[in-house]
Amino acid sequence: MSSVLTTRPSTATGNAPDDAPGTAGTAASTTAPGAEAAAGAPRGLLAVVLTATFMTALDFFVVNVAVPSVQADLGAGPAAVQWVIAGFSLALAAGLVTAGRLGDRYGRRRVFGLGLALFTLASAGCGLAPTAAALVGARVVQGLAAALMGPQVLAILRTAFSGAAQARAFARYGLTMGVGAVFGQLIGGLLIRADLFGLGWRSCFLINLPIGLAALAMVRRCLPESRAPQRPGLDPVGVLLVTTALTALVLPLIQGPAQGWPLWTWLCLGGAVALLAGFVVHQHRTRTRATAPGSGSATDSAPDSGSGSGPAAPLVDTRLFRTRAFGAGLLAQLAFWLGQASFFLVLALYLQLGRGLDALGAGLVFTAIGLGYLLTSNATHRVAARLGGARTIAVGGLLMAVGLGLLALAVYGAPGGSVWWLTPGLFVDGLGMGLVIAPVTSVVLAGVEPQLVGSAAGVLATVQQVGGALGIALIGLLYYGGGDPAAAFGRSVTALAALELVLVGLVRLLPRKG
């Protein structure tokens, strides 16, 4: 990806001084808040963090292609196959909020590097797994590692860049996520078809080793250390509550549709609501205690000496929700991600089960989305500079609704026609995706104070994961609601088109600029 000049990020972004000896670029920049910060970010920063982003997005989707080969090679049953997919998603969703706080406290570069090393090691474990149980365990570790990296990437982009440079950085972040998602199946199909060194499906994971090791070697040189201006305490009760709550929420969403929603799934969902309510109350009380006169809060007053633990601070600071951009932006994020993972799932099912394509053939059809996505995502920052972030999201949402509508017309109008009749709708949908992913992320983080960036990034990434799991559960109900694959796919994309119109409506709540 793009590189930028080497100097230290501005202290105006809220980065704490780098206390690691031997770190390059120790002189602080004097860039004013909101000024162009390209000169304050080390060369190679984007390449490192976007490589990690691509690896995470790719491994989230590529496993769908590998499942049939895994079943044949390891003798995996249906439950094990489900957990190969679900273990990653569950660990990722449950760990994101806590990971954001770890970056605030211990340093975002340090936690990112730990996550990248763990992800690379877990990828080796996946590729060398002798049994289905070993593969599931390695996938859970992969998910935890991805959770460690995700919030740090968003926080690093938010603090290392500002102005137009920040808009470009988030545009490239969105491009990377989309390329990993859209082309994941194609890349997986090509790797399995190539059967490099006789590795088969294992190459889908082992390919991360050289990429991850190369990125890891650049972390210390290319990433400046940053943390919250004062190091907040960890809040162990909050960690326990939010991790348990998210596990109780995401697990039934992943397992419920396949198991017919047994009683335990509803009990989990009810428990998740209660736990989340308890978490909110606990965060409010923790915030109140931390800011009480004489509390010696590490979050608001005295600078951090770098030597001890401050009092517990809330994992999710309630001040975040005082800004309309953050609250409304989270709703827009939820609406958008409700549709993404579920759309890729039902499209893959329709192409392979309804049209009889193999994984590589289905991946080739996905390239129509990718072409549209690449066309607009490269220009998103320029469009947003002209229209504003909110209007750009609205235009993208409308294009996605049109594209999904064209897919519904193609399916209902010519159910037995060529699969390539789907490509106009897929291309237009990709155009819209490219205009949404980066702006909807940058708008949420734009007004966040430096000391709250890690917390905000963790919440943002969690909403993405929960939205994806919830969308798969809800759209899955429509897809499996009866009828042939064409009718099921038509119902699903019609509902998804309506969801994009909801996204357009939510944009009205966002600030016009940013």
Side-chain angles (χ1 to χ4, degrees), residues 232-316:
L234 281 179
D235 184 15
V237 175
V239 169
L240 178 63
L241 282 172
V242 75
T243 302
T244 307
L246 289 171
T247 301
L249 175 62
V250 176
L251 179 59
L253 292 176
I254 293 172
Q255 297 285 283
Q259 296 186 15
W261 298 98
L263 178 61
W264 73 263
T265 60
W266 297 107
L267 293 176
C268 274
L269 290 172
V273 172
L275 287 166
L276 286 171
F279 175 71
V280 171
V281 171
H282 175 73
Q283 296 303 280
H284 178 70
R285 289 177 177 173
T286 303
R287 171 68 188 156
T288 301
R289 287 195 299 268
T291 56
S295 66
S297 170
T299 60
D300 288 311
S301 53
D304 179 28
S305 65
S307 62
S309 296
L315 283 176
V316 177

Side-chain angles (χ1 to χ4, degrees), residues 69-157:
S69 300
V70 170
Q71 285 182 298
D73 188 26
L74 300 182
V81 167
Q82 277 188 314
W83 274 105
V84 168
I85 300 171
F88 181 94
S89 302
L90 185 61
L92 175 58
L96 286 164
V97 172
T98 301
R101 168 51 46 83
L102 292 174
D104 281 346
R105 175 166 176 71
Y106 295 108
R108 292 158 190 148
R109 181 183 68 186
R110 182 177 299 172
V111 176
F112 173 85
L114 174 63
L116 180 57
L118 190 60
F119 190 90
T120 305
L121 183 63
S123 296
C126 290
L128 301 174
T131 65
L135 178 58
V136 170
R139 286 284 288 172
V140 170
V141 176
Q142 261 196 329
L144 291 172
L148 287 173
M149 291 189 291
Q152 318 318 323
V153 171
L154 293 175
I156 288 168
L157 294 181

